Amino acid sequence: MTPTVPFTRDLVLVGGGHAHALVLRAWGMNPLPGARLTVINPGPTAPYTGMLPGHVAGHYGRDDLEIDLVRLCRHAGARLLLDKAVGIDRTRREVMLESRGPVAYDVASIDVGITAEMNLAGFAQHAIGAKPLDIYAARWRDFSTRAAKGEVAPDVAVIGGGVAGCELAMAMAFALRASDVMPRVTVIEAGPQISGVGNMVRRRILHAMAQLGITVLTDAKVVRIEEGAVELEGNKSVPAALCVGAAGAFAHKWIAQTDLPLTDGFIQIGPDLGVIDDEAVFAVGDCAVMPHAPRPKAGVFAVRAAPVLHHNLRAALSGGRRKTWKPQKNYLKLISLGGKSAIAEKFGLAVQGTYLWRWKDRIDQSFMDRLCDLSTMQVPQPRGSMAIGAAQILTAKPLCGGCGAKVGRGILSGALAGLAQPSGEVVTGAGDDAAILRKDGGGFQVISTDHLRSAIEDPAMMTRIAAVHALGDVWAMGARPQVALASIVVPQMSEALQARTIAEITAVANEVMAAAGAQLVGGHTTMGSELTIGFTVTGTRDAMPLTVSGAQDGDVLILTRPIGSGVLLAADMAGQADGRDVAAALAIMSQPQHREAAIISPHANAMTDVTGFGLAGHVLAMCEGAALDAWINANAIPVYAGAQALSQAGVSSSLMASNRADAPVEGAGDDLLYDPQTAGGLLAAVPATVVAQVITALEAQGCAGHVIGRLSAGSGRLRLS
């Protein structure tokens, strides 16, 4: 067996720009043993600049435009932190984040692009910069939809008459016209003419804009931006239900506040793409500047620099020799004209036509294909002689993380059947969410333990989810969390990385437990083959805690969270899930449910949390404990975005088959009924007379409550209604 190389160095990529995306692709094909890779980006996707005008014009959908960083990071074996960098401490070698603690690095690279936010009165309140692209693209989608419905005037003002401003103006005018809206689009340029191109291209762009009805104002100085208008010097006003800033490139403000070597806010780098006078930090793309070889801000340079950046990052981590990058002096400009036509310019020469748009389209699609055509996880193939049954297990689908790695309900029930019956201080033992103990002096204590095999690469997020998951057993019994012990297994790594990892895990665990009213009092750590995080938790309740068997005839079933997390995590592991869906699900899974428990528990006859046995398994446990039948309304069950389509395509968790066998449902049941949930919702049996009151109270606290079925006298059957 080939030994696993322990982690010894941390590489942190700040930003999901084009160069970093290509580095992730290359890294996944040939990772550097011993290097742990982390990516920091505000969102799960990053827009591709080359296709933005086509997207705005309506030629490409949102999915065509966006690079899926979740899939790329899964391919590369990297953890993705959905957060915004706000600083860097080069002495401590830490990247400071907006919403969580600092992330340590041994080598870091910055590729965060630029912003087009302008220092104009009213800009922040009434305008949007063309960059960052994802923010602008989202605003444009909303505006164009509302303009097509007649909810806002189709008046657009673009500040900046360079290539970017003109290209976006033509794209927006074309799209609005295609929606049967007659737009008023105005390009406002402070200089005497549109800039960034030669005379021949300028004439062609002006002609194309005139055909689209775009007004071009030159020598126009913007004084301020108001709601619905751009005020110009000389008491002139331009109508603007949407105002877009495209006049120049501006560095992110947080970079200017660092001690990095800067030129006008842009990071100075040398021929090796390393930050000048810092062997541990690199920068690339529009956020960087090469004093020895200044170049305009264009995506082509980031794409061309990616292979050199990839090589030099590996060299910095392994002590190898770095390469030098020499950016080309001239590059081809392909400018979209709104419709499916484009202008090409190089060496002062220009040509125009629809065939150039098709050429540009092929270039752009080829780039995106490189980032979408990723290798999938390979299932180990059995070799040689094996014990009977071993080959079948190896050729089955890979073991899921989270609750998808649990043992089936039937197997577990059989193993627990021989345990001694509760006695003395033990009120209830195995079989419910937690054991119930009598407290001296009155009241009750509940105790439970749970752990999760890591489903994602981020130890902090995995800790948050594991803590919420473990607390679910206490909340489900209507108890107040009391204390917690952590059980942590980390992969083999150097002492420095051990310290970083354990510090992250401990900080998050302490935060989640403290917010729930519990105290983290210690635990146990060890090294193993993979990250595993668990907690033993206790809680207290004055009255008898809720149990799974207390449901009554006529009760209504309320569920607080969607199902489908097992399918999403299985698809993510195989590189098949949409990164936005995975990120959205993780965000819900990491949220505590103390408010839901506080609202529901005073009214519930029975409650549990939906976890590894799937919704059907947990409903069945409620039915068996009270001799009831459950009628489930499949259409009322909330489902995580993307889970249904993946399930219908045949994606499932490795535990789903066992769950299906252990909890049969009468009727054409959806596979997601058997999907194992991690940090799943609370499932409560509530008297019908208080259901409306409970749902209203949940909504008032910003929580969700879904009525998914009802219970009636019976013999423990599950039926779809």
Side-chain angles (χ1 to χ4, degrees), residues 12 26 48 75 104 139 301 319 325 365 450 476 520 539 546 551 554 560 606 654 681:
V12 176
Y48 170 47
H75 163 77
R139 176 75 71 86
F301 294 112
W325 182 56
Q365 295 285 7
D450 219 323
L520 183 65
L546 294 169
T560 64
S654 52

Side-chain angles (χ1 to χ4, degrees), residues 490-573:
V490 296
Q492 188 178 7
M493 57 184 68
S494 67
E495 289 188 1
L497 267 66
Q498 286 180 46
R500 294 172 184 174
T501 303
I502 297 299
E504 277 193 78
I505 291 173
T506 304
V508 172
N510 189 57
E511 175 194 335
V512 176
M513 293 300 172
Q519 184 174 356
L520 183 65
V521 294
H524 179 74
T525 59
T526 187
M527 284 191 290
S529 60
E530 61 184 356
L531 179 67
T532 303
I533 300 173
F535 296 93
T536 298
V537 292
T538 67
T540 61
R541 181 177 165 102
D542 294 335
M544 176 64 184
L546 294 169
T547 66
V548 73
S549 59
Q552 302 293 316
D553 181 10
D555 279 354
V556 172
L557 295 174
I558 295 177
L559 179 64
T560 64
R561 278 190 178 171
I563 62 173
S565 64
V567 164
L568 281 171
L569 293 177
D572 176 44
M573 187 170 65

Side-chain angles (χ1 to χ4, degrees), residues 36 208 262 272 276 280 298 354-355 357 374 397 578 595 622 674 680:
R36 182 170 65 173
L262 304 174
D272 63 351
I276 292 176
T354 56
Y355 69 94
W357 191 92
L374 306 173
K397 63 180 57 183
D578 186 307
R595 293 176 299 169
M622 197 172 281
Y674 314 102

Side-chain angles (χ1 to χ4, degrees), residues 8 34 45 57 74 100 119 131 137 166 233 250 347 363 426 450 454 495 503 532 552 558 562 578 596 621 644 679:
T8 59
T45 63
R74 173 65 75 176
R100 61 189 284 171
N119 187 23
K131 292 187 177 183
C166 293
E233 195 174 60
F250 304 95
F347 302 118
I363 293 173
V426 180
D450 219 323
S454 183
E495 289 188 1
T532 303
Q552 302 293 316
I558 295 177
D578 186 307
E596 292 91 335
Q644 191 75 67

Side-chain angles (χ1 to χ4, degrees), residues 271 273 284 290 292-308 324-334 345-347 363:
L273 305 175
V284 71
M290 303 181 76
H292 67 283
R295 295 291 186 271
K297 302 298 182 185
V300 63
F301 294 112
V303 172
R304 296 287 179 85
V308 176
T324 296
W325 182 56
K326 297 180 180 179
Q328 70 270 37
K329 293 183 178 180
N330 296 289
Y331 65 98
L332 177 67
K333 294 179 183 176
L334 286 169
E345 181 191 42
K346 191 172 185 181
F347 302 118
I363 293 173

